[in-house]
Amino acid sequence: MSRRSLLATSAAVASVLSLPRTATAAENETTTASGTGALHLAPARQQVAALRNGQITSRALLDQLLEHHAKTNPGLNAVVTLDAESARAAADKADQHLTHTGHTLGPLHGLPMTVKDALETKGMRTTCGSTDLSNHVPDTDADVVALLRAAGAIIIGKTNVPTMCQDIQTSNPIFGKTKNPFADDRTAGGSSGGPAAAVAAGLTSLEVGSDLAGSLRLPAAYCGVYALRTSRGASPIVPTRGHIPRPPGWLTSSDMLTLGPIARTAADLDLLLDVIAAPSPADDAAWSINLPGPTKTCLRQYRVGLWADDPYCRVDSGTRQLLDQVAAAFRNAGATVDGSARPVDFATSDRLFTRLMYATSSATATDEAFAGEVKAADKVADDDPSALYLKSRTMRHRDWARADEDRQKLRAKWADYFTTHDILVTPAAPTAAVLDQTSVPTNQRYITVDGEKRSYYDQTAWLNLAVPAGLPSLVLPVGKTAEGLPMSVQIIGPYLSDRTLISVAKLLAPALPTAPKAPALTT
């Protein structure tokens, strides 16, 4: 499936890179004002520590956060369901527990946070942006939400998504559009646009997003926050039951879907990963997940692969400049950087990903609709624009088994690449956040890259590289455009190297340009 350019219309934005951060800022830990006055805007680690040592109560922290919500969320529309009453009751309960026992409820004790409206929450409306689910109030938590509660988190509300998570911008007929925290005319991305915008604007310090086709990482890149697509083998390392889509009540999900943490700091990704990386409840009697830690302690020890651009999905000049600066940061730290080797062929990988994505998406089609697609697929010519979609949606099991074999061969190519490279750095997207087009029919949407009109779906091409092989992928903000929009890069690592990617992000931060903060964090 080629990504052919259309007509040129306007010039892309050049990147303006700031001076490197200081050593203190390298920790990427926001300093709060004296006392607890700004603690609701601090990183999650700082909030959890303050809750644990009695610097602040869960109820007081929640009240600070709710006040911030009242000022910030109406203009952003990131949090679409807020249950303040239940949150206050849960916060009071957490405070009483700590007072009476001297022990916390868990590593997220008393921490108020939101979750994506695609994740079912017991007793709290969960719509996934679909009018068919307008009144859906689950009687059980999604597995990952249950892990958050068991760790002591206070779930205060839900964040916005496109309808059934089926767009890379965030708007739906129930709640409307979520704006980008940096510019009203730019998209927050999707499908985790609400979660990423909420984290960027200080409406929550942590979020759990979902990622099939960049749905976690694209919004993080556009909103200037950190996000980790977690490893996925035969099973995910973060349980996915209770994620919509599939429909409520289904026990399975797409075989490429993963859930992962979103945060304002790399260290906070680690905090949340500790909680949500767990076997499914059906397996936890015998299985545990023990992700290996990073084996290197400084950047100079890393063998870095660099894939800065590609004819299959060209990036704009600002993004290319940013990748050059990231490569220079690694080299200046003493790391070896190889920009020539390619783990896989971009076009081949992207076509395989697309076929597998379409195939798994047909599981929930009605019998009548699927029968119609089968008839259409049998008639369509191979060179018809709709052929890839129809033939992938309706492929026979034999064809799927062969595509899965191709997937395993692709995984082997990546594994071979990582015998000589520790990580691979790529663009996160061809540009910074694009103009919001939620009012434009999907088939008429496009993006502009250095003056050229390009496919709307080119936004996620780089992010999809990691998906069919089940590799962990981390997006981190490292610069800004002339208008102050965040710019990000992607780091891909070997299967189960999730903690290594977080460690690299922590080490890299002081050597890179300062990423901008959303206005809501600076007022």
Side-chain angles (χ1 to χ4, degrees), residues 1-7 311-313 447 452-456 458:
M1 184 176 61
S2 65
R3 298 178 180 273
R4 302 180 65 87
S5 299
L6 302 176
L7 299 175
Y312 185 70
C313 187
I447 64 171
E452 286 188 309
K453 281 186 177 180
R454 290 262 295 277
S455 166
Y456 176 67
D458 275 13

Side-chain angles (χ1 to χ4, degrees), residues 9 38 59 69 76 107 116 171 280 320 361 366 425 457:
T9 57
R59 177 60 182 269
H69 273 244
L76 189 62
K116 185 177 181 177
S171 182
S280 67
R320 188 67 178 83
S361 69
T366 64
V425 179
Y457 295 102

Side-chain angles (χ1 to χ4, degrees), residues 98 137 154 170 186 197 219 259 263 272 277 339 361 397 412 415 417 420:
L98 184 59
V137 179
I154 309 296
T170 295
R186 303 288 170 150
L259 306 181
L272 190 51
S361 69
H397 183 70
Y417 177 83
T420 54

Side-chain angles (χ1 to χ4, degrees), residues 411-428:
R411 293 189 71 169
K413 289 183 178 180
W414 277 101
D416 182 64
Y417 177 83
F418 285 124
T419 62
T420 54
H421 302 78
D422 297 308
I423 57 171
L424 173 66
V425 179
T426 80

Side-chain angles (χ1 to χ4, degrees), residues 270-352:
D270 235 350
L271 173 67
L272 190 51
L273 184 63
D274 282 343
V275 170
I276 64 177
S280 67
D283 295 324
D284 66 5
W287 293 1
S288 62
I289 293 179
N290 183 20
L291 290 170
T295 58
K296 297 172 173 56
T297 58
C298 57
L299 290 181
R300 62 180 172 80
Q301 297 171 329
Y302 279 92
R303 300 167 300 171
V304 179
L306 180 70
W307 196 346
D309 205 352
D310 194 276
Y312 185 70
C313 187
R314 289 291 185 195
V315 302
D316 72 2
S317 57
T319 300
R320 188 67 178 83
Q321 180 184 354
L322 190 70
L323 267 291
D324 289 342
Q325 186 146 346
V326 171
F330 274 111
R331 290 190 178 100
N332 291 340
T336 59
V337 179
D338 171 23
S340 60
R342 299 288 181 263
V344 294
D345 178 74
F346 205 146
T348 301
S349 174
D350 196 55
R351 183 178 179 85
L352 177 61

Side-chain angles (χ1 to χ4, degrees), residues 228-297:
L228 173 69
R229 177 188 163 91
T230 51
S231 293
R232 175 159 189 148
S235 298
I237 66 168
V238 178
T240 59
R241 190 210 59 79
H243 178 272
I244 305 171
R246 310 291 173 82
W250 278 54
L251 301 179
T252 60
S253 62
S254 164
D255 62 356
M256 295 190 293
L257 176 76
T258 70
L259 306 181
I262 306 174
R264 289 191 295 274
T265 74
D268 280 355
L269 293 181
D270 235 350
L271 173 67
L272 190 51
L273 184 63
D274 282 343
V275 170
I276 64 177
S280 67
D283 295 324
D284 66 5
W287 293 1
S288 62
I289 293 179
N290 183 20
L291 290 170
T295 58
K296 297 172 173 56
T297 58

